[in-house]
Amino acid sequence: MAEHVRGTRGYAEEADDLFIRYESYDFESVHAGWLDFIPPPPGLVLDIGAGTGRDAAWFSRAGYSVVAVEPSDEMRRRAKALHPEPDIEWLDDSLPSLGLLAGREGTFDLVQLSAVWMHLDAGERTVALSRLAQLMKPGGVLALMVRHGPVPEGRIMFEVPTEEMLMLAEAEGLDGLLCEKRDAAGEANRKAGVTWMNYAFRKPAEQPG
């Protein structure tokens, strides 16, 4: 499926470097902004654009079951070998439709997208957020890390206005928990002007009838 997903362009070719870089950052440091919003285990986590499997493995060790979606064949193959935890289910799927998750609507306690959202254009983002809201359990949390700044050579990325992100979430009835800007972790990216936005939203719990 990877050849049909334009956002994966460049990842297979750079897999050696990406695995070294991504695995050098620990989960707690990367996601410090929204750790307090993670629902307690046990629970079901959807990790979209799971990359090297670093985050999926952290959730597995913490007592969660994980569905890890990664459309790059090369990244997914390596990630499965590096993080062979049995309660991580790997899927070759992609936004905006996530077709392989049909029938799992309303089941995920946490949906996370780390460095994924900016690979979708505006139209795809509208469809994708509606799909993510469908997959979330009432009371579930959606967390996103969105990259801003110059686009690396060979990659496909789009600018994501904060106002759009908040508007799309509101349209799906999601409550805002976090909207926070942070600097890039790597020195080279900081010098290049790369920044990140962290978002977290909660789907309202169902009210008793």
Side-chain angles (χ1 to χ4, degrees), residues 58-187:
W58 185 93
F59 282 114
S60 175
R61 293 191 297 268
Y64 300 87
S65 297
V66 184
V67 176
V69 172
E70 175 50 57
S72 167
D73 291 338
E74 180 66 13
M75 296 291 287
R76 189 176 62 257
R77 179 186 63 79
R78 293 188 183 207
K80 291 172 69 174
L82 183 62
H83 299 292
E85 286 80 359
D87 53 355
I88 300 177
E89 176 188 359
W90 286 91
L91 294 181
D92 176 11
D93 205 354
S94 64
L95 289 168
S97 61
L98 293 172
L100 294 183
L101 292 174
R104 301 203 200 187
E105 290 76 13
T107 64
F108 290 96
D109 298 276
L110 174 69
V111 177
Q112 82 133 0
L113 301 88
S114 182
V116 171
W117 201 244
M118 67 280 181
H119 291 304
L120 305 176
D121 65 30
E124 291 169 332
R125 293 194 295 266
T126 299
V127 174
L129 197 64
S130 177
R131 181 67 177 131
L132 297 179
Q134 293 171 356
L135 292 166
M136 296 166 66
K137 180 184 294 185
V141 171
L142 168 64
L144 307 94
M145 277 183 61
V146 182
R147 186 186 188 279
H148 294 269
V151 179
E153 185 177 355
R155 300 284 181 83
I156 296 178
M157 297 182 184
F158 303 90
E159 190 60 23
V160 180
T162 298
E163 295 79 7
E164 177 201 280
M165 186 78 251
L166 299 179
M167 181 185 68
L168 290 177
E170 182 179 7
E172 296 299 329
L174 304 179
D175 298 325
L177 300 174
L178 177 70
C179 177
E180 175 184 72
K181 182 178 180 180
R182 62 179 295 178
D183 294 331
E187 182 178 357

Side-chain angles (χ1 to χ4, degrees), residues 28-63:
E28 291 89 346
S29 297
V30 173
H31 300 300
W34 56 269
L35 285 178
D36 290 343
F37 303 119
I38 297 177
L44 183 58
V45 173
L46 176 58
D47 184 11
I48 301 173
T52 68
R54 178 200 62 203
D55 294 356
W58 185 93
F59 282 114
S60 175
R61 293 191 297 268

Side-chain angles (χ1 to χ4, degrees), residues 11 17-25 52 54 75:
Y11 282 89
D17 177 61
L18 293 174
F19 268 77
I20 292 172
R21 284 198 289 126
Y22 290 178
E23 292 291 324
S24 70
Y25 299 115
T52 68
R54 178 200 62 203
M75 296 291 287

